[in-house]
């Protein structure tokens, strides 16, 4: 019988519970400020990447791609707020044949136009210091002093040398330029932000795709849930809370009062796959020009302090959540952000021989608590190839990216399992009962906003996948990945960070992430 068949869990000794809490120390920030160099360029810092079959009614044959950038935005962060960088290239890549190379790339470029609004002061027209001069309610509002717009190109083949064509608007005069809503300054400036932002959801024609898609770029409430301050303060939390499943959502979500900037694209699934392969891989990157010269005498205008030039140089990369936090070593974090999936062999040791469990043994003086199945083929499968029968391509080159089986039907939000595939295996009593599963559409089979990737990752890193694999290699993680090599036993399934991803406010329709928090409320 699978070790998952019984719901009973062994008691958690206090010392072991401390280890389990600390296991989340580095796993709590998804990709917010995850590498040394990216902390200096927050406008190109990817925070989260989502890829899932759309669960909005009438749109379930589509795939939604969401890349969030510019982390930890305080809603009151004026007067400039959080426009994206016109000197950057933001990309979402799709590999549809398993060779670790992009086959389709969606490229986003931004144009921020200063209107130069002035006011007459004593006979002189003087430029105002704000990005708005009054109430805003519609596209290209007259009161806006800074108009933000963007273009989207689709590149087939190599991201730099492939065939390029522009995504265009459907209706409203067509065109290739899309307006981005200004950030949620406050409800005196923007009385109904939901209605205002809704005007910026565009139906689009995607070259090479016979079905229409949708695109939205704008500020959203950060959808990631975590107790950041407590975790980074050496896990300053009661053991009894963290190890008791009844206490999930017992502490506040640190990011509940933060916003991010979202690039959201909805594409019909048939336009993303190739041949008979139904599994696609996806990741997002941001690139800057290789050279920058600081101008000692900036010209009048907007963002004129530097001259940039040279080739596009990748500085941010994000596919699977938490990889550059809990897997990649500190000396290689910047290099990982600059790398391509086809070159991931250079990072293999970080996956097959992860250091986090050993570090925890040293820090807490608890030897022999890390999983013993080295090399960790369970993590290789989860992060680098996909799970057989779920999201592994027929021909796959090991590489880090989100992988989604587009043939697996989506599940309505209310029925989604917050622990994704792992939670569904638990629910049906083990992998031998997967025929009874109703939700295999969640992480690590893609990623939905509701999926609690922190808790799932805690279970995985401490051996939960090997508990699920059982003694008969049911999930094909390898014969050594079995319950005998998991010192924590079924206790691994109790792990959580006391913050519940499933209760984060979300929308039921595209772009799914909740409207951003306002900088101020009317008095």
């Amino acid at each position: 019988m699978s070790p998952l068949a019984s719901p009973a869990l062994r008691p958690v000794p206090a010392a072991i519970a401390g280890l389990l809490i600390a296991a989340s120390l580095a796993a709590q920030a998804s990709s917010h400020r995850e590498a040394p160099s990216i902390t200096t360029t927050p406008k190109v810092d990817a925070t989260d990447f989502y890829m899932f079959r759309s669960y909005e009614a009438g749109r379930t044959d589509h795939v939604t791609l969401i890349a969030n950038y510019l982390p930890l935005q305080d809603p009151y962060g004026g007067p400039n707020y959080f426009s994206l960088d016109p000197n950057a290239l933001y990309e979402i890549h799709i590999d549809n044949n398993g060779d670790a190379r992009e086959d389709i790339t969606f490229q986003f470029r931004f144009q921020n136009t200063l209107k130069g609004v002035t006011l007459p002061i004593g006979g002189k027209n003087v430029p105002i210091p704000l990005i708005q001069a009054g109430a805003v309610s519609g596209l290209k509002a007259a009161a806006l002093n800074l108009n933000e717009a963007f273009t989207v190109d689709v590149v087939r083949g190599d991201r730099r040398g492939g065939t390029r064509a522009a995504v265009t608007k459907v209706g409203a005069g067509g065109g290739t330029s899309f307006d981005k809503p200004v950030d949620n300054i406050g409800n005196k400036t923007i009385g109904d932000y939901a209605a205002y932002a809704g005007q910026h959801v565009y139906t689009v024609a995607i070259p090479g795709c016979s079905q229409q898609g949708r695109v939205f770029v704008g500020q959203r409430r950060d959808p990631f849930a975590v107790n950041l301050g407590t975790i980074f303060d050496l896990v300053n939390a009661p053991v009894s809370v963290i190890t008791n499943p009844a206490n999930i959502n017992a502490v506040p979500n640190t990011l509940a009062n933060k916003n991010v900037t979202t690039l959201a694209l909805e594409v019909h699934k048939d336009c993303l796959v190739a041949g008979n392969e139904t599994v696609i891989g996806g990741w997002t990157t941001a690139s800057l020009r290789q050279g920058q010269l600081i101008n000692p005498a900036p010209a009048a205008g907007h963002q004129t302090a530097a001259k940039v030039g040279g080739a596009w140089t990748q500085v941010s990369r994000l596919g699977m959540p938490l990889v550059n936090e809990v897997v990649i070593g500190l000396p290689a974090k910047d290099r990982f952000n600059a790398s391509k999936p086809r070159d991931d062999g250079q990072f293999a040791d970080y996956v097959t021989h992860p250091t986090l469990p050993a570090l925890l043994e040293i820090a807490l003086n608890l030897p022999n608590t890390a999983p013993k199945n080295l090399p960790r083929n369970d993590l290789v499968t989860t992060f680098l190839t996909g799970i057989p029968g779920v999201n592994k391509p027929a021909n796959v080159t090991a590489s880090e990216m989100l992988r989604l089986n587009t043939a697996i039907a989506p599940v309505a939000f209310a029925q989604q399992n917050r622990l994704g595939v792992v939670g569904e295996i638990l629910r049906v009593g083990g992998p031998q009962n997967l025929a009874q599963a109703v939700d295999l559409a969640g992480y690590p089979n893609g990623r939905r906003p509701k999926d609690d990737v922190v808790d799932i990752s805690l279970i995985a890193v401490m051996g939960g996948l090997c508990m699920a694999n059982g003694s008969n290699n049911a999930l094909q993680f390898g014969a050594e990945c079995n319950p005998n090599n998991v010192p924590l036993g079924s206790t691994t399934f109790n792990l959580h960070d006391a913050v519940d991803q499933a209760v984060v406010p979300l929308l039921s329709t595209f772009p799914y992430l909740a409207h951003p928090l306002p900088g101020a409320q009317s008095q």
Side-chain angles (χ1 to χ4, degrees):
M1 174 179 289
S2 163
L4 299 179
S6 171
L9 298 176
R10 295 202 295 267
V12 185
I16 296 295
L19 169 64
L20 303 184
I21 299 169
S24 63
L25 177 60
Q28 301 302 311
S30 190
S31 191
H32 301 62
R33 296 169 52 83
E34 82 289 346
S37 291
I38 202 66
T39 63
T40 68
T41 50
K43 286 180 181 285
V44 289
D45 184 359
T47 70
D48 286 284
F49 179 63
Y50 303 87
M51 181 171 66
F52 55 92
R53 280 277 298 271
S54 302
Y55 46 87
E56 177 183 341
R59 306 294 293 184
T60 55
D61 282 338
H62 291 73
V63 171
T64 295
L65 308 164
I66 296 175
N68 288 342
Y69 280 85
L70 219 171
L72 304 176
Q73 298 177 18
D74 289 317
Y76 51 81
N80 291 293
Y81 296 95
F82 303 98
S83 60
L84 290 181
D85 191 349
N87 295 322
L89 175 63
Y90 302 83
E91 298 176 287
I92 295 174
H93 309 280
I94 300 295
D95 169 16
N96 58 23
N97 58 15
D99 67 353
R101 297 173 183 269
E102 66 273 9
D103 299 294
I104 305 171
T105 296
F106 299 97
Q107 297 183 334
F108 294 75
R109 292 292 312 276
F110 291 85
Q111 303 83 39
N112 301 328
T113 304
L114 181 65
K115 292 166 63 177
V117 175
T118 63
L119 291 176
I121 308 296
K124 294 185 177 182
N125 291 324
V126 181
I128 66 170
L130 306 180
I131 64 170
Q132 89 280 22
V136 172
S137 61
L139 298 171
K140 292 185 172 66
L144 279 178
N145 194 24
L146 184 72
N147 281 340
E148 301 171 67
F150 64 96
T151 59
V152 185
D153 286 349
V154 57
V155 180
R156 299 187 183 276
D158 180 80
R159 66 180 78 173
R160 298 294 175 261
T163 303
R164 179 187 311 274
V167 172
T168 57
K169 295 178 189 174
V170 173
T176 60
S177 180
F178 303 89
D179 290 310
K180 173 186 173 294
V182 71
D183 295 340
N184 197 355
I185 298 169
N187 59 18
K188 183 176 182 180
T189 296
I190 309 171
D192 185 347
Y193 196 87
Y196 168 67
Q199 300 174 57
H200 297 80
V201 176
Y202 296 94
T203 299
V204 296
I206 301 172
C209 181
S210 59
Q211 296 91 350
Q212 295 177 351
R214 289 187 289 185
V215 67
F216 169 83
V217 173
Q219 194 179 47
R220 298 282 92 183
R221 187 171 181 173
D222 195 326
F224 191 65
V226 65
N227 187 13
L228 275 178
T230 296
I231 294 300
F232 287 131
D233 186 24
L234 301 177
V235 194
N236 187 3
V239 169
S240 59
V241 172
I242 305 293
T243 57
N244 184 352
N247 289 324
I248 293 175
N249 203 36
V251 299
N253 170 20
T254 308
L255 300 182
N257 63 347
K258 302 294 184 182
N259 294 326
V260 293
T261 300
T262 291
L263 285 62
L265 184 64
E266 186 186 66
V267 185
H268 196 280
K269 62 184 179 63
D270 292 347
C271 299
L272 297 174
V273 298
N276 294 324
E277 180 58 74
T278 61
V279 176
I280 59 173
W283 68 101
T284 184
T285 64
S287 299
L288 296 171
R289 293 297 187 183
Q290 195 167 24
Q292 174 178 278
L293 182 64
I294 302 299
N295 189 347
H302 187 262
Q303 198 171 332
T304 64
K307 300 286 187 179
V308 300
W312 289 118
T313 304
Q314 184 180 303
V315 296
S316 178
R317 170 187 170 187
L318 177 59
M320 297 281 282
L322 307 173
V323 168
N324 211 8
E325 291 73 23
V326 302
V327 179
I328 304 300
L330 184 59
K333 288 181 180 293
D334 288 339
R335 181 154 45 95
F336 179 84
N337 267 350
S339 67
K340 296 179 173 62
R342 62 177 179 265
D343 299 321
D344 280 349
Q346 64 185 309
F347 306 113
D349 286 350
Y350 290 118
V351 180
T352 59
H353 295 74
T355 59
L356 181 61
L359 283 171
L360 295 171
E361 289 182 343
I362 295 170
L364 298 173
N365 193 26
L366 290 172
N368 303 316
T369 51
K372 300 176 182 178
N373 58 306
L374 295 174
R376 291 291 301 272
N377 288 327
D378 53 326
L379 300 183
V380 170
T381 299
T382 303
F383 290 114
L384 303 184
T385 66
I387 299 172
V390 179
N391 66 337
K392 181 179 180 179
N395 299 295
V396 63
T397 298
S399 52
E400 189 280 309
M401 62 182 71
L402 265 182
R403 289 183 173 86
L404 171 70
N405 189 339
T406 63
I408 295 178
V411 176
F413 180 83
Q415 283 73 51
Q416 291 175 12
N417 195 313
R418 59 177 287 274
L419 292 180
V421 173
V422 172
E424 195 65 4
I425 292 174
L426 285 168
R427 190 189 69 80
V428 301
Q432 74 277 6
N433 299 322
L434 274 182
Q436 304 172 24
V438 297
D439 181 18
L440 294 178
Y443 183 76
N445 181 30
R447 181 188 177 189
R448 304 169 298 200
K450 187 178 180 179
D451 293 336
D452 198 327
V453 297
V454 171
D455 288 3
I456 297 168
S457 297
L458 286 174
I459 292 169
V461 76
M462 297 311 294
L465 297 175
C466 294
M467 293 298 298
N469 201 40
S471 57
N472 60 349
N473 196 22
L475 294 173
Q476 300 180 48
F477 290 140
E480 293 300 309
C481 183
N482 65 67
N484 291 331
N485 282 325
V486 183
L488 296 180
S490 54
T491 295
T492 54
F493 301 126
N494 252 352
L495 297 178
H496 65 87
D497 68 341
V499 174
D500 191 0
Q501 180 69 49
V503 301
V504 170
L506 295 166
L507 303 179
S508 60
T509 59
F510 182 84
Y512 295 101
L513 308 187
H515 302 297
L517 298 166
Q521 301 278 359
S522 295
Q523 302 298 312

